[in-house]
């Protein structure tokens, strides 16, 4: 019976207790990786010989020896032997997920980091924009407040002056001041009431009637024509051009047919010389030009008279652009200064002085706009005409900026002076104006 059971290869019906063995029987893979403490310890278990009953230990040993289950679990072993063994993969020790799922999480984390970076940049941009807007609004408010303070101060000052004018009876001046106050601040206290009171005072104040002044009747000149002619000649010789003209005009009025050609020639000489004297000696450029224009009606002007008239016109045109367009001033005075350096107008500024000052003004204007090379030309021209220790640093700075190719106006630092119109630049001394040559009357 025992041999038949051992040779049986088909599974038999499970006996009581075999279910637990089948449920707990390890697979070949698990059996391979399982740990046998007794095998590791080097203990050899006895193997039962086929056909012999297994020796059971006596009760005195007290140790339960393992029995072979080869005959009982052989069907399970045969069934599980056909299951393919899948190779185990070595996963990272710290990762509980497969590699594919981990890479997905890594890509997702990188994208999240990029989004947070973009949000941070946008947040910084919004903060910067908000700060700039707040600063701009603050500056506008400060400027408006400062302007309002200035307007209020000017209105208060004019109102006080208007009160003083009312007290002294100067109602017209008070009216102008009050109108200006209302223009600055329409809601200024009592300004409208004071203006109405001033207008009422002006209406009721009697305007004094000026007595007509008798027109003086000129004393008639009963000198003869010969006497007038002789006096005109003597005035011309004595260079009294105005008296000579008065005598000649009276002669033409009273005796229009007496020596008409000679009288016209004498008038030409008087007007021509008086025009030159006005330009060269009296510094009356407009009056001299007018006399020379009148003289040209009697005959063509000579070269000397034309030169004086042209110089006066250059000076007048150059002075008309003074402080408004320095380039035009430089243009006109650069032509005039070499020809008539001592020519001046009623202000006393000679043509050479105005040319130097126009060079500085034009150079500063160009430097303020970053045109350093053009500004350098103006400063160099000034230094070539008159050396100045005050202008030299500015000229050197403009030269350096031109050499470096600077294209924008830069505020210099340190000891380098800021380009600007020097207020303490000394003007060259004005030489004595020579007496103009005059053509004596023949």
């Amino acid at each position: 019976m025992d041999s038949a059971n051992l040779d049986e290869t088909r599974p038999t019906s499970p006996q009581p207790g075999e279910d637990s063995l089948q449920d707990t029987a390890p697979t070949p893979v698990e059996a391979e990786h399982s740990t046998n403490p007794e095998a590791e310890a080097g203990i050899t278990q006895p193997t039962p010989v086929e056909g012999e009953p297994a020796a059971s230990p006596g009760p005195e040993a007290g140790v339960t020896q393992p029995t072979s289950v080869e005959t009982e679990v052989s069907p399970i072993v045969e069934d599980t032997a056909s299951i393919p063994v899948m190779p185990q993969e070595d996963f990272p020790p710290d990762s509980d997920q497969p590699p594919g799922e981990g890479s997905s999480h890594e890509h997702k984390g990188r994208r999240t980091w990029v989004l947070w970076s973009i949000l941070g940049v946008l947040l910084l941009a919004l903060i910067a924009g908000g700060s700039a807007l707040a600063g701009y609004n603050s500056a506008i408010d400060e400027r408006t407040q400062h302007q309002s303070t200035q307007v209020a101060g000017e209105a208060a000052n004019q109102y006080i002056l208007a009160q003083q004018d009312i007290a002294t009876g100067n109602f017209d001046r008070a009216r102008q001041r009050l109108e200006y106050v209302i223009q600055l601040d329409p809601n200024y206290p009592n300004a409208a009431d004071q203006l109405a009171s001033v207008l009422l005072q002006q209406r009721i104040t009697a305007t004094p009637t000026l007595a007509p002044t008798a027109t003086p009747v000129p004393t008639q000149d009963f000198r003869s024509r010969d006497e007038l002619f002789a006096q005109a000649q003597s005035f011309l010789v004595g260079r009294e051009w105005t008296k000579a003209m008065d005598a000649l005009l009276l002669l033409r009025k009273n005796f229009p047919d007496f020596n008409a050609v000679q009288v016209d020639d004498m008038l030409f000489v008087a007007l021509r010389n008086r025009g030159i004297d006005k330009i060269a000696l009296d510094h009356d450029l407009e009056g001299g030009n007018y006399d020379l224009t009148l003289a040209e009606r009697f005959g063509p002007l000579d070269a000397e008279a034309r030169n004086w008239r042209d110089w006066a016109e250059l000076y007048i045109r150059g002075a008309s652009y003074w402080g408004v367009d320095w380039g035009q001033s430089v243009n006109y005075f650069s032509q005039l200064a070499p020809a008539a350096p001592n020519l001046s107008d009623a202000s006393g500024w000679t043509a050479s002085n105005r040319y130097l000052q126009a060079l500085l003004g034009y150079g500063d204007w160009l430097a303020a706009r970053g045109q350093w090379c053009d500004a350098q030309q103006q400063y160099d021209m000034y230094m070539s005409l008159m050396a100045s220790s005050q202008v030299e640093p500015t000229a050197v700075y403009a030269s350096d900026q031109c050499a470096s190719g600077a294209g924008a106006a830069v505020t210099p630092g340190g000891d380098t002076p800021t380009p600007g119109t020097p207020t303490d630049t000394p003007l060259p001394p004005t030489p004595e104006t020579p007496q103009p040559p005059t053509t004596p009357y023949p």
Side-chain angles (χ1 to χ4, degrees):
M1 294 293 293
D2 294 337
S3 300
N5 292 333
L6 292 174
D7 295 334
E8 187 69 30
T9 59
R10 290 174 299 182
T12 59
S13 60
Q15 298 297 326
E18 291 181 357
D19 293 336
S20 61
L21 292 176
Q22 292 178 0
D23 296 337
T24 59
T27 62
V29 177
E30 294 176 351
E32 182 181 355
H33 291 281
S34 65
T35 304
N36 190 355
E38 294 180 355
E40 292 178 356
I43 301 175
T44 305
Q45 299 295 333
T47 305
V49 180
E50 184 178 354
E52 294 182 1
S56 59
E60 65 276 5
V63 178
T64 304
Q65 298 293 332
T67 58
S68 175
V69 293
E70 181 179 357
T71 58
E72 297 179 2
V73 298
S74 58
I76 300 174
V77 173
E78 291 178 358
D79 294 337
T80 58
S82 61
I83 299 174
V85 179
M86 301 298 292
Q88 292 186 350
E89 296 181 0
D90 296 333
F91 297 103
D94 296 335
S95 177
D96 296 336
Q97 296 178 354
E101 187 175 355
S103 62
S104 175
H105 281 283
E106 182 181 357
H107 178 70
K108 191 174 185 179
R110 185 183 298 110
R111 185 171 58 184
T112 304
W113 181 83
V114 171
L115 291 177
W116 277 109
S117 301
I118 295 175
L119 289 176
V121 172
L122 292 177
L123 181 60
L124 291 176
L126 289 175
I127 293 174
S131 301
L133 181 60
Y136 175 77
N137 292 333
S138 176
I140 292 297
D141 293 340
E142 184 177 356
R143 179 178 179 183
T144 304
Q145 183 178 4
H146 179 68
Q147 185 176 3
S148 301
T149 303
Q150 287 185 339
V151 169
E154 180 65 19
N157 185 29
Q158 292 297 325
Y159 185 80
I160 293 173
L161 295 176
Q163 295 296 324
Q164 296 176 0
D165 292 334
I166 293 174
T168 57
N170 193 352
F171 297 110
D172 187 62
R173 179 62 62 86
R175 176 187 59 80
Q176 296 177 5
R177 293 186 186 279
L178 291 172
E179 288 176 351
Y180 181 66
V181 170
I182 294 175
Q183 182 181 0
L184 292 177
D185 187 2
N187 299 323
Y188 193 87
N190 298 327
D193 296 339
Q194 291 291 335
L195 179 60
S197 176
V198 168
L199 293 176
L200 181 61
Q201 291 294 331
Q202 282 186 315
R203 291 192 187 97
I204 64 177
T205 301
T207 303
T209 304
L210 299 178
T213 304
T215 304
V217 179
T219 304
Q220 295 183 359
D221 193 346
F222 297 100
R223 289 176 295 178
S224 63
R225 58 184 185 180
D226 295 330
E227 186 179 0
L228 289 173
F229 188 80
Q231 287 182 352
Q233 288 179 331
S234 63
F235 288 145
L236 288 176
V237 174
R239 305 180 62 85
E240 299 181 18
W241 314 118
T242 303
K243 292 181 179 180
M245 290 178 58
D246 293 339
L248 292 171
L249 291 175
L250 183 59
L251 182 60
R252 289 189 62 183
K253 178 181 178 181
N254 296 334
F255 308 99
D257 297 332
F258 180 76
N259 295 335
V261 176
Q262 293 183 4
V263 170
D264 290 344
D265 291 340
M266 295 169 68
L267 282 173
F268 171 80
V269 172
L271 287 171
R272 181 255 186 202
N273 288 301
R274 192 177 74 168
I276 294 177
D277 286 350
K278 283 184 177 181
I279 295 173
L281 301 178
D282 301 336
H283 311 294
D284 183 8
L285 305 184
E286 292 82 359
N289 264 353
Y290 180 72
D291 284 347
L292 292 176
T293 302
L294 292 178
E296 199 171 16
R297 295 183 178 180
F298 294 97
L301 296 175
D302 58 305
E304 182 183 0
R306 288 197 302 269
N307 288 336
W308 284 106
R309 184 180 62 181
D310 294 341
W311 295 339
E313 290 180 355
L314 287 174
Y315 193 104
I316 293 171
R317 292 184 181 181
S320 65
Y321 290 103
W322 193 259
V324 178
D325 189 343
W326 290 112
Q328 292 294 334
S329 295
V330 169
N331 178 32
Y332 287 113
F333 285 108
S334 63
Q335 304 175 47
L336 178 60
N342 298 321
L343 182 64
S344 64
D345 59 356
S347 66
W349 278 57
T350 63
S352 59
N353 290 344
R354 284 192 179 272
Y355 179 48
L356 292 173
Q357 193 65 26
L359 287 173
L360 285 182
Y362 192 34
D364 296 341
W365 185 85
L366 293 171
R369 284 154 181 79
Q371 302 177 14
W372 295 106
C373 295
D374 295 336
Q376 177 192 356
Q377 295 179 2
Q378 308 304 318
Y379 293 137
D380 291 345
M381 182 64 68
Y382 180 93
M383 295 298 294
S384 66
L385 296 175
M386 187 186 73
S388 174
S389 59
Q390 297 179 354
V391 180
E392 184 177 3
T394 306
V396 172
Y397 180 79
S399 177
D400 294 341
Q401 292 295 318
C402 178
S404 63
V410 181
T411 302
D415 296 333
T416 305
T418 303
T421 303
T423 57
D424 53 354
T425 302
L427 296 175
T430 304
E432 295 181 359
T433 304
Q435 294 289 339
T438 57
T439 303
Y441 177 71

